[in-house]
């Protein structure tokens, strides 16, 4: 049964369902990584993996946007695995079992992994939509974000070509977090919600961290 049947946009929820079905706690992201790589291969989307296990998916610009600065969509592959006391859930083997309850998407008894599964789902849905008109598009999926941002810290200078980065790992309702990476480094970051509603509702789950993106020193600042 498709627990997300009827939710829109369908591609986003389809991808999120696939992410939920593949265990991917921190340090155990490889199954999800392989899934994304295989999916990209079937869609003709470029995919590269660095030594840290970060993925970079690339799609050429639409013909009318080939002269525009590239855009990077960023999310992370791993999730925080937390279960209620007494649970036998094994995050390295057992899939997340989401439910829709009164307008909220939840995973009873466990974290849902919307942080950052919904970011991955949004990015893949954007990549597969051939009706979108866009500049050169990159999707950066980092590894080991929740345990010290190991993937982001390992990014090689020059790996990213785009000049605008949209961080899809945010709790802002109805918006995206757009900052220069150097500002992110100073300000710290909050984790995205572990649950999200079909109407775009997000429940805050505060965390802390020190994002670092040494591979993107020349990002174009966006207005607040
Ligand atoms: Zn996150």
């Amino acid at each position: 049964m498709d627990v997300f049947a009827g939710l829109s946009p369908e591609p986003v929820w389809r991808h999120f369902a696939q992410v939920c079905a593949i265990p991917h706690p921190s340090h155990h992201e490889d199954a999800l990584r392989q899934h994304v790589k295989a999916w990209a291969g079937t869609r003709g989307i470029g995919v590269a993996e660095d030594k840290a296990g970060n993925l970079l998916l690339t799609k050429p610009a639409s013909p009318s946007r080939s002269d525009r600065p590239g855009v990077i969509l960023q999310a992370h592959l791993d999730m925080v695995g937390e279960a209620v006391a007494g649970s036998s859930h094994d995050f390295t083997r057992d899939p997340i079992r989401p439910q829709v309850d009164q307008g909220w998407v939840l995973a009873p008894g466990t974290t849902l992994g919307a942080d950052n599964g919904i970011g991955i789902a949004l990015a893949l849905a954007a990549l597969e939509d051939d009706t979108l008109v866009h500049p050169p598009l990159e999707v950066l999926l980092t590894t080991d974000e929740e345990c010290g941002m190991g993937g982001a810290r390992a990014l090689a200078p020059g790996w990213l070509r785009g000049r605008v980065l949209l961080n899809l790992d945010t709790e802002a309702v109805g918006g995206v977090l757009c900052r220069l990476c150097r500002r992110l480094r100073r300000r710290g970051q909050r984790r995205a919600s572990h649950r999200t509603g079909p109407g775009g509702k997000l429940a805050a789950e505060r965390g802390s961290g020190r994002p670092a993106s040494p591979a993107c020193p020349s990002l174009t600042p966006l207005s607040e």
Side-chain angles (χ1 to χ4, degrees), residues 33-122:
R33 184 183 298 111
Q34 297 308 322
H35 163 78
V36 173
K37 291 170 69 175
W39 173 84
T42 64
R43 304 287 307 188
I45 292 168
V47 58
E49 179 180 349
D50 68 8
K51 291 181 180 178
N54 299 308
L55 292 183
L56 185 61
L57 311 180
T58 53
K59 187 174 184 180
S62 306
S64 63
R65 297 294 189 277
S66 59
D67 60 341
R68 305 295 175 84
V71 169
I72 307 162
L73 305 179
Q74 178 199 356
H76 61 82
L77 288 165
D78 58 322
M79 66 170 281
V80 173
E82 295 285 349
V84 296
S87 171
S88 61
H89 189 95
D90 183 344
F91 285 91
T92 67
R93 297 186 313 174
D94 301 332
I96 300 298
R97 296 183 174 83
Q99 294 181 4
V100 180
D101 182 4
Q102 299 182 22
W104 291 94
V105 177
L106 308 168
T110 69
T111 41
L112 175 61
D115 176 6
N116 194 212
I118 202 69
I120 297 171
L122 287 163

Side-chain angles (χ1 to χ4, degrees), residues 76 115-116 145-146 169 189-192:
H76 61 82
D115 176 6
N116 194 212
E145 193 269 355
E146 300 288 1
D169 185 17
Q189 184 187 51
R190 293 174 178 175
R191 287 187 209 147

Side-chain angles (χ1 to χ4, degrees), residues 56 61 90 125 138 184 186 204 216:
L56 185 61
D90 183 344
E138 294 168 279
L184 273 174
R186 287 201 302 267
C216 54

